[in-house]
Amino acid sequence: MSFLKNLFNLHQGEEKKEKVIEDILSNISFRGAKLWILACAILIASIGLNVNSTAVIIGAMLISPLMGPIVGAGFALATYDFELLKKTGRSLLIATVVSLIVSFIYFYISPFKDVQSELLARTSPTIYDVLIAFVGGLVGAISLTREDKGNPIPGVAIATALMPPLCTAGFGLATGNISYFLGAFYLYSINCFFIGIATFLIIKYLKYTPKNTGNEALNKRLRVVITTLVILIVTPSLYLAYSLLEEKKFHENVAHYITAEFENSGYTIIYKKIRYNTNPKSIELAFLDKKFSDEELKTLQSNLKNFKLLNTKLIVRQKESEIDEEILSEINKNKSSLSSKEVMINQLKEELAQYKYTDPTFAKEIQVLFPNIERFYFGKLTDFSSKDNTSLTTVMLYTPKKETVKGKEVAKEVDTQKLQQWLAEKFADKKVICRLAD
């Protein structure tokens, strides 16, 4: 037993109480440079939330001096120092108001007002936020009372996350979203309160000498007030945690149900909408080509209970008029686009076929029948000579081979008339044009 007591003894390595009190008092006030640092940290955190950058948000939390007055308030409560409590309360109020003003101004003038995941994460506090704030506060208070403070304080600043909720509250004010403001400000209040309570407990455990009020009844009232505040703040967070857990379980069960009943059977789902916050809850689906009978739909509805989906209604959209218009419009648009492209491709192929001649025996026949031809060009051209209509004409241009006669190169003779007659007979075109290439 004594081994465990020594193992967890917080008095080992404890800083002198006078030095701890001095450090706490020096970090309470928000004036001058410290207020500028806070404003800059809030601005950095707001930008980080705006661009959804976790690294920037963490940097802002490390810069922030907000922990000072919160720890000071916990210390003041533990030592019954009401003058110090008023001072820390005033400093925390100034820091909170300045932070809200800076974040409000930034988000109000910022052209980017999309709700990012980092912002949303600060609008729904749960019991886990209470636990993080409390445990983080314990670590912070323990570190503050050590001779070798080490490096837990930056980690506490990141874990308890005082800055992001304040910035999100400013975003809620700037965009007129009161639910965001209330959720984020409630999360900020939870963090402040439980960091203070954790500090209060550590200071009590380390038996710092309380300021003598001379009034035992007042001390008792203080304990009652603190206990009441803990219950009032924890209760809503417990309900929020329970609601979040139930919603997550519902979505997981829906995913299992859809996989087992539809996807494993090879049915293609083209539309899915799940409503949790309705009574009854609903699962709305539409399929590419599968149509269910009334009996099948009844079976599917009854199978919901096998996946713990109670008070849930299955809605299957089977007629085109019932399916989301945008989905149908997009499908029809794609089909129409594909059809028009296919028609265009076929038309181009037909046009090319009129002009192109690809018989590999044709060149061999020319070489046998007209050996004096060196090269030739053959195809069909559009004849525009008539004003009324146009027609295709078969054309052949050729270059004769050359021979040397008396030291001069002369073209070998090609019977153009015979060549023209042969082409006209071969291609059943009496208007064949056959001439020398220039």
Side-chain angles (χ1 to χ4, degrees):
M1 193 68 180
S2 60
F3 170 75
L4 289 175
K5 189 176 180 181
N6 290 329
L7 188 65
F8 292 98
N9 187 4
L10 285 181
H11 291 287
Q12 291 181 1
E14 184 183 354
E15 178 67 274
K16 291 180 181 179
K17 289 181 171 56
E18 295 79 11
K19 180 70 169 61
V20 173
I21 295 170
E22 184 183 331
D23 290 341
I24 289 172
L25 292 175
S26 65
N27 288 314
I28 287 173
S29 180
F30 272 97
R31 295 181 184 279
K34 195 172 287 187
L35 202 59
W36 276 99
I37 291 170
L38 174 67
C40 291
I42 282 287
L43 185 59
I44 292 169
S46 299
I47 294 170
L49 289 166
N50 207 188
V51 300
N52 216 39
S53 173
T54 306
V56 173
I57 297 167
I58 290 173
M61 288 189 283
L62 290 172
I63 296 169
S64 167
L66 265 175
M67 284 281 287
I70 300 170
V71 171
F75 180 84
L77 285 171
T79 56
Y80 305 125
D81 191 338
F82 294 105
E83 286 300 318
L84 180 60
L85 186 61
K86 285 194 288 185
K87 188 177 180 181
T88 56
R90 188 165 53 248
S91 293
L92 187 58
L93 179 63
I94 292 170
T96 302
V97 171
V98 168
S99 299
L100 285 173
I101 290 172
V102 172
S103 59
F104 170 82
I105 292 172
Y106 170 78
F107 283 112
Y108 186 78
I109 64 177
S110 172
F112 308 109
K113 291 182 172 61
D114 295 335
V115 181
Q116 305 289 353
S117 60
E118 287 288 351
L119 276 166
L120 282 174
R122 271 81 188 185
T123 58
S124 302
T126 68
I127 187 62
Y128 305 112
D129 295 302
V130 171
L131 291 173
I132 291 168
F134 181 71
V135 176
L138 289 177
V139 174
I142 292 169
S143 300
L144 192 66
T145 58
R146 300 300 93 192
E147 285 183 351
D148 181 13
K149 293 179 172 51
N151 59 355
I153 295 296
V156 172
I158 295 169
T160 52
L162 292 165
M163 303 289 287
L166 265 181
C167 296
T168 304
F171 173 83
L173 289 175
T175 57
N177 194 321
I178 301 302
S179 63
Y180 281 6
F181 169 76
L182 293 176
F185 198 77
Y186 175 53
L187 176 56
Y188 171 70
S189 302
I190 284 174
N191 289 341
C192 291
F193 184 80
F194 281 94
I195 291 169
I197 290 299
T199 305
F200 170 87
L201 293 175
I202 294 298
I203 297 300
K204 278 291 186 186
Y205 175 80
L206 293 175
K207 297 179 180 178
Y208 275 66
T209 305
K211 192 170 183 179
N212 188 14
T213 61
N215 190 337
E216 186 59 33
L218 182 62
N219 296 342
K220 188 176 180 180
R221 261 201 315 272
L222 182 61
R223 288 194 290 271
V224 172
V225 168
I226 291 172
T227 304
T228 305
L229 284 173
V230 169
I231 293 170
L232 288 175
I233 291 181
V234 168
T235 302
S237 63
L238 284 170
Y239 172 75
L240 286 169
Y242 173 76
S243 299
L244 183 67
L245 181 62
E246 287 297 304
E247 184 173 356
K248 186 177 180 182
K249 283 167 59 178
F250 175 77
H251 283 279
E252 286 178 352
N253 292 337
V254 169
H256 293 153
Y257 171 75
I258 290 174
T259 300
E261 298 291 336
F262 304 111
E263 291 178 354
N264 288 346
S265 300
Y267 304 144
T268 304
I269 299 171
I270 60 172
Y271 175 73
K272 177 172 68 175
K273 191 165 187 178
I274 300 166
R275 296 181 179 90
Y276 176 77
N277 296 315
T278 57
N279 190 19
K281 305 175 186 71
S282 67
I283 305 168
E284 193 172 343
L285 303 171
F287 297 85
L288 183 63
D289 50 12
K290 172 64 180 175
K291 290 192 177 181
F292 297 93
S293 65
D294 291 340
E295 288 299 319
E296 287 176 318
L297 289 174
K298 286 179 182 177
T299 303
L300 290 169
Q301 177 67 45
S302 65
N303 287 347
L304 286 169
K305 64 177 179 293
N306 298 333
F307 294 85
K308 299 179 181 178
L309 294 170
L310 304 176
N311 192 32
T312 304
K313 183 180 179 182
L314 175 67
I315 303 169
V316 178
R317 302 296 187 189
Q318 301 203 90
K319 296 178 182 177
E320 286 193 354
S321 59
E322 292 178 335
I323 301 177
D324 191 280
E325 291 181 3
E326 286 187 19
I327 295 173
L328 278 178
S329 173
E330 194 65 30
I331 291 171
N332 292 330
K333 191 189 297 181
N334 291 338
K335 285 182 178 177
S336 174
S337 176
L338 285 172
S339 299
S340 61
K341 286 177 181 178
E342 287 173 359
V343 170
M344 188 180 295
I345 289 168
N346 289 333
Q347 287 177 345
L348 290 170
K349 284 181 177 178
E350 289 175 4
E351 288 181 17
L352 285 170
Q354 292 178 338
Y355 294 94
K356 195 173 181 182
Y357 186 71
T358 57
D359 186 356
T361 63
F362 180 60
K364 293 179 181 179
E365 290 177 0
I366 293 288
Q367 290 172 3
V368 173
L369 297 173
F370 304 95
N372 289 344
I373 293 178
E374 184 176 9
R375 66 175 65 89
F376 66 91
Y377 309 93
F378 179 82
K380 292 188 178 183
L381 299 176
T382 305
D383 184 1
F384 291 96
S385 59
S386 174
K387 294 181 181 179
D388 299 327
N389 59 2
T390 59
S391 60
L392 288 177
T393 302
T394 305
V395 177
M396 180 172 178
L397 303 176
Y398 65 90
T399 301
K401 292 180 180 178
K402 293 182 179 180
E403 61 181 352
T404 303
V405 178
K406 297 180 181 180
K408 291 184 180 180
E409 280 193 346
V410 293
K412 288 186 177 181
E413 186 179 348
V414 176
D415 191 340
T416 304
Q417 186 176 358
K418 181 181 176 182
L419 175 59
Q420 190 162 340
Q421 287 175 351
W422 178 74
L423 291 171
E425 193 68 31
K426 182 174 180 63
F427 293 101
D429 186 358
K430 294 180 179 179
K431 296 182 179 180
V432 171
I433 297 173
C434 186
R435 61 179 62 167
L436 282 167
D438 293 335

